[in-house]
Amino acid sequence: MLPISLIILGGILLIAGIALLLRTPKAESLNQIIQAVKADGILTPKEEQLIREVAQSEGKNADATIAQIRKELEESEEESESELIDVNQKAGLDFEKFVVQKFDKKYFQIRNWAGDKYVEGRYADTTTQPDIQLSLKLGANSYPFAVECKWRSEPKGDFIQFTEEDQLNRYKIFAKQENYPVFIVLGIGGKPSSPAELYILPMQDLNKPVLHRAALGKYRKNVDKDFFFDQESKALN
């Protein structure tokens, strides 16, 4: 009886193995389709139909599978947008650090270094102000001014937009209210921490947030030299 039992058991295991083997390629096929959709970032109608057919053939809930794929695609898109924002914020901060290092700490004091943090339209008052507010310290005298830092990687064409219209207006209002000069320090090309070109734009010279490259020439600054504020002419050089 024992040999017969072993034969029967072996037959059952063989049938189960064959059934499992037949099901495995389909599982791999469904997984491959899902991975391809995630890699592409888009679920097309054709892919959705294929997923439904394979999922149903495996006895899986096709609607739940597709809903999960869509959810993961949405989350992936949000993460990509967050990464882009993080990259832009890092570039801005790196350029601000580059600019700050151009002011000799023996003569210049940082009075305020703004951070662009906000949520649901709520932000600190300093978010609408220029990035860095400084003072030139000469003995007992102090001469305040402010700097807005802008870096552009590779502007195309002959015109360079260095800020937005509303930002330009806010900086002009700020300069008038505080009664001291505001400058836009513009970096172009290279890296935020080491721009290829550097310009200092006095706010009183700016009527639009865009300048032609030819008009930038007179504002160009040697990227290797430090900045200095002339308290008499109120010019940043």
Side-chain angles (χ1 to χ4, degrees):
M1 293 295 293
L2 183 59
I4 296 175
S5 299
L6 291 175
I7 292 172
I8 294 173
L9 179 60
I12 293 173
L13 292 174
L14 178 61
I15 294 171
I18 293 172
L20 180 62
L21 184 63
L22 291 174
R23 291 175 63 86
T24 300
K26 292 181 180 178
E28 291 177 349
S29 176
L30 178 60
N31 184 62
Q32 289 173 355
I33 296 169
I34 293 174
Q35 293 304 318
V37 170
K38 290 180 180 179
D40 187 45
I42 300 174
L43 177 61
T44 66
K46 185 176 180 180
E47 289 170 336
E48 181 176 339
Q49 181 60 34
L50 182 59
I51 289 172
R52 285 186 181 279
E53 292 175 359
V54 176
Q56 288 172 357
S57 70
E58 295 180 1
K60 295 181 179 179
N61 188 320
D63 290 335
T65 300
I66 291 171
Q68 180 63 28
I69 293 172
R70 285 177 174 159
K71 179 182 177 182
E72 292 180 8
L73 288 177
E74 289 177 1
E75 291 174 350
S76 176
E77 183 177 355
E78 290 175 358
E79 288 175 0
S80 297
E81 291 176 353
S82 297
E83 289 173 1
L84 178 60
I85 292 172
D86 289 343
V87 168
N88 290 337
Q89 287 179 338
K90 183 179 185 304
L93 181 57
D94 285 348
F95 185 60
E96 288 177 21
K97 290 178 179 178
F98 168 82
V99 171
V100 165
Q101 291 172 349
K102 291 295 180 182
F103 293 99
D104 192 327
K105 60 183 179 182
K106 291 190 297 183
Y107 302 104
F108 295 95
Q109 176 187 11
I110 298 176
R111 294 181 293 107
N112 185 59
W113 193 340
D116 299 332
K117 297 181 177 67
Y118 64 91
V119 62
E120 295 182 353
R122 299 177 63 189
Y123 46 80
D125 290 340
T126 54
T127 301
T128 63
Q129 298 174 4
D131 292 322
I132 309 166
Q133 297 173 43
L134 306 101
S135 288
L136 169 65
K137 307 290 287 187
L138 295 177
N141 298 318
S142 178
Y143 305 92
F145 63 98
V147 169
E148 173 67 16
C149 304
K150 298 293 184 182
W151 178 76
R152 298 293 180 261
S153 56
E154 295 179 1
K156 297 179 180 179
D158 295 328
F159 289 89
I160 297 176
Q161 181 171 354
F162 50 86
T163 190
E164 300 293 337
E165 186 79 40
D166 60 334
Q167 287 182 319
L168 185 63
N169 292 333
R170 288 203 304 268
Y171 302 148
K172 284 182 172 291
I173 292 172
F174 176 86
K176 185 176 181 180
Q177 289 177 340
E178 299 298 324
N179 194 31
Y180 58 69
V182 176
F183 305 89
I184 290 182
V185 177
L186 173 65
I188 296 178
K191 298 184 297 184
S193 58
S194 180
E197 302 173 26
L198 195 62
Y199 302 87
I200 300 177
L201 313 178
M203 193 60 61
Q204 70 267 18
D205 290 2
L206 305 174
N207 296 315
K208 295 181 180 180
V210 179
L211 278 179
H212 193 280
R213 274 191 174 273
L216 278 175
K218 64 179 180 179
Y219 301 115
R220 189 158 186 171
K221 169 78 177 179
N222 189 324
V223 295
D224 297 322
K225 292 187 176 181
D226 287 345
F227 294 167
F228 194 80
F229 181 66
D230 187 328
Q231 74 275 17
E232 298 295 334
S233 63
K234 295 186 177 181
L236 183 62
N237 301 304

